[in-house]
Amino acid sequence: MRMPLPRRAAPCLGSLTALTLVTGMMLAPGTAQADVSATLATTPISDATAVCTSGAPTFDDVVTAAASVLRGTVGPAQLLAYDQRVADFRAGIAALRVHRDGLPLRPEQVGVRPAELDDPIVTYLVNGLDAVRTGRIDETMSVSQLTVNDAIEVFILATGIVKIPAELVAGMVPTVGMFLKPVVGAVFTGTKALARAVQNSIDAGCVAPNVYPPLELRDAVIEPVRVPQPIEDLAALVMNADGTCTPVAELTLATVVERARAFLDSGAVAVDRVAMHQAADALQEFLAGNRVAEVMLMRRADDLGPLVEALDLGPLTFLANLGADLAEGKALDTVPLAQVQVEHAFDLATLTLDITSLLFSAGTTVAGFAGITETVTTPLSIVQKLVFAPTDYGAPIVRGVIQSMCAV
């Protein structure tokens, strides 16, 4: 007598209905690539519900869960043949392999700083560069081992990539572009937040029960990936910041000079070493003997509040940083140039470009008020958006990468 579906499996039935139909059509007979236990047909489905296995289900979990639901409708005489078709299908999927580090990972799997930023492009670049340097880029894994969360992570990366041109186009809309751009950005941010909530919900739930044994997969298979030489050269210079090294962004200018000195002194480049050391010593003296206002050494946007972090606009970050320095009584303090970090120098450069962009926008606005026609001001505004697009969209990505990686 067929056993009824357990109560704990009932909530899964609705969500698995579509998967059941699709999987039922896909379970066509094929060449057997896995062994099937002779007693599998007599295994009751209820045995699989004894323990709740939490975490995101793998693709194989989805297949076996759907097949297990269908299995309850198969007659005893057809069970062995049905289980064989399921095994053939699972083995076929397991034989498909992908380069795992060619796909996005959740930020917390890559590092602390990527998890704080939660920028899918930054996370993808950091993991990819480190995978190229360590050789992990050549390792493959079975498609069956990928999880539902991995598929969601691909979606999050795709929305992060699409967000850039969407915001750029929105910002170029005449008159309302400056208001439309943050709205478009908020839509994509909300989409990412919803996807993260779905991932967390999946992690907190139970994997759907099934009656099939786990797959016995081979060890990692190496399939070399052709990587452009410039990327290999860049990857050889950086590594994932794992807490044991200083990220590139936090290196001081004095340290950068010494690293450059050591590199040139190693003989990798033919130089006059005596003259090189003299120039390095003179530069170190200059950096140590000249000071800069501490207010110019801006804090990170995410340390200044969610609004500053969301807008990530140079002038706003500067003003928020100035307010924090005034509150702490540090506005008039100075520090030697030697203590200025790479990130501070990068922020000052982007701040200059941001201010230039704002002045350009103000100029076209004043021209419009002065009676200059839109046929002149609108093209100028569009050109401005395109010219400064690398600052608006590329700079935050570069900043995130140098905050998340160390120099080798």
Side-chain angles (χ1 to χ4, degrees), residues 329-407:
K330 297 180 180 179
L332 300 179
D333 292 350
T334 62
V335 295
L337 284 173
Q339 296 181 16
V340 174
Q341 297 180 355
V342 171
E343 184 175 0
H344 296 149
F346 183 84
D347 287 339
L348 290 176
T350 55
L351 173 62
T352 302
L353 293 173
D354 284 337
I355 292 175
T356 303
S357 177
L358 287 176
L359 292 176
F360 195 96
S361 297
T364 54
T365 301
V366 171
F369 289 151
I372 305 299
T373 61
E374 290 187 359
T375 56
V376 175
T377 57
T378 298
L380 287 176
S381 178
I382 292 175
V383 169
Q384 174 221 346
K385 295 296 183 184
L386 294 175
V387 169
F388 289 96
T391 304
D392 294 338
Y393 306 103
I397 295 174
V398 174
R399 187 186 300 111
V401 172
I402 65 175
Q403 289 174 357
S404 307
M405 306 201 80
C406 301

Side-chain angles (χ1 to χ4, degrees), residues 251-259 284 287 337-340:
L251 294 175
T252 63
L253 295 184
T255 303
V256 172
V257 172
E258 289 306 311
R259 288 182 63 91
Q284 289 286 36
L287 294 175
L337 284 173
Q339 296 181 16
V340 174

Side-chain angles (χ1 to χ4, degrees), residues 4-30:
L5 190 67
R7 175 177 295 182
R8 295 181 62 183
C12 303
L13 185 57
S15 61
L16 290 173
T17 300
L19 286 173
T20 300
L21 296 175
V22 174
T23 306
M25 293 185 290
M26 294 176 66
L27 293 178

Side-chain angles (χ1 to χ4, degrees), residues 149-172:
N149 276 351
D150 292 330
I152 296 176
E153 203 64 42
V154 173
F155 168 76
I156 292 175
L157 176 61
T159 58
I161 294 174
V162 173
K163 176 182 176 181
I164 294 176
E167 284 189 327
L168 180 60
V169 172
M172 290 190 294

